[in-house]
């Protein structure tokens, strides 16, 4: 079965205009995202497989090391329990 990551129901992705950054709002915790992490998580809606997310980001950011970094990043968030 192909993993199609999606944020858990208790996790919300928001953009903080004051800080100019994306945040993950969790029960009793806020995680400040850096770089393009918010854009990556914005694609995690359950409709795309990890390979699809990598392909889309690779097209948006040619030359960026998305093939190695994005799956690793998503796996780490899955391990934290923030992604299904």
């Amino acid at each position: 079965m192909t993993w199609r990551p999606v944020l858990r129901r208790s996790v919300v992705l928001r953009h903080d205009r004051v800080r100019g950054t994306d945040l993950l709002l969790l029960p009793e915790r806020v995680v400040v995202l850096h770089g393009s992490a918010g854009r990556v998580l914005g694609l995690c809606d359950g409709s795309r497989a990890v390979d699809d997310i990598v392909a889309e980001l690779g097209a948006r950011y040619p030359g960026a090391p998305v093939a190695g970094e994005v799956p690793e990043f998503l796996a780490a968030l899955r391990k934290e329990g923030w992604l299904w």
Side-chain angles (χ1 to χ4, degrees):
M1 184 173 194
T2 302
W3 181 38
R4 297 179 183 279
V6 64
L7 291 172
R8 286 190 173 257
R9 294 175 89 172
S10 61
V11 179
V12 178
L13 176 64
R14 288 281 187 257
H15 183 75
D16 182 343
R17 286 181 275 157
V18 173
R19 292 184 184 131
T21 191
D22 293 314
L23 307 171
L24 279 183
L25 307 177
L26 301 122
E28 301 181 25
R29 185 173 177 190
V30 174
V31 176
V32 178
L33 301 173
H34 299 281
S36 59
R39 288 183 288 259
V40 173
L41 292 176
L43 297 175
C44 295
D45 59 5
S47 70
R48 297 173 184 89
V50 174
D51 289 343
D52 299 329
I53 293 169
V54 168
E56 188 165 334
L57 290 169
R60 286 186 196 178
Y61 308 104
V66 296
E69 293 180 0
V70 170
E72 186 176 304
F73 172 67
L74 295 176
L77 270 60
R78 186 182 202 183
K79 187 174 180 179
E80 287 290 332
W82 302 342
L83 288 174
W84 287 102

